[in-house]
Amino acid sequence: MRSLFLPIAAGLALAACATIAPTRTVYVMPKRPSAELVAKVTADAAAQVKRCYRAPNIFGTGRRISTKLAVRYAPDGTIVGVPVVVSQGGVTPENEMFADEMAAAAIESVVRCSPVHLPPELYAMGWSSFELTFSPVLRG
């Protein structure tokens, strides 16, 4: 009797397993933030970082160099990795020797001002990176 019971119990256990539907993980894509929200938050982050900007001691046409950085932030407002130079504008043969120094000043200001205060709901939308452009004022 014992030998008959084990195969039946095993058959019932296998049949029960076969009827269970596999679980599925459903990923919900976050909504994209509106253009207005992106503009506002970028302006807020730029204003925070601007306070930490220390222009290098460069005068003349070197001050015409603008630097665009790609910056990523964690939900707590700290930077993720090192900001990356996306592009530089206003570089000419007479001021290109200052391009690296202007880029370094922009990167240092982002690092110095970390963490920035950004709305936490943006991270729920999957948004954590944007570009900041540094355009120093031309002096003499």
Side-chain angles (χ1 to χ4, degrees), residues 25-47:
T25 304
V26 177
Y27 295 98
V28 177
M29 292 302 290
K31 294 188 325 187
R32 297 196 94 191
S34 68
E36 295 81 20
L37 181 60
V38 171
K40 180 190 178 318
V41 172
T42 301
D44 289 349

Side-chain angles (χ1 to χ4, degrees), residues 6 8 12 26 28 31 39-41 49-50 62-63 97 99 101 114 117-118 120:
L6 286 177
I8 293 173
L12 289 174
V26 177
V28 177
K31 294 188 325 187
K40 180 190 178 318
V41 172
V49 172
K50 183 178 180 180
R63 304 284 296 171
M97 67 187 98
E101 199 171 345
S114 180
H117 304 287
L118 301 172

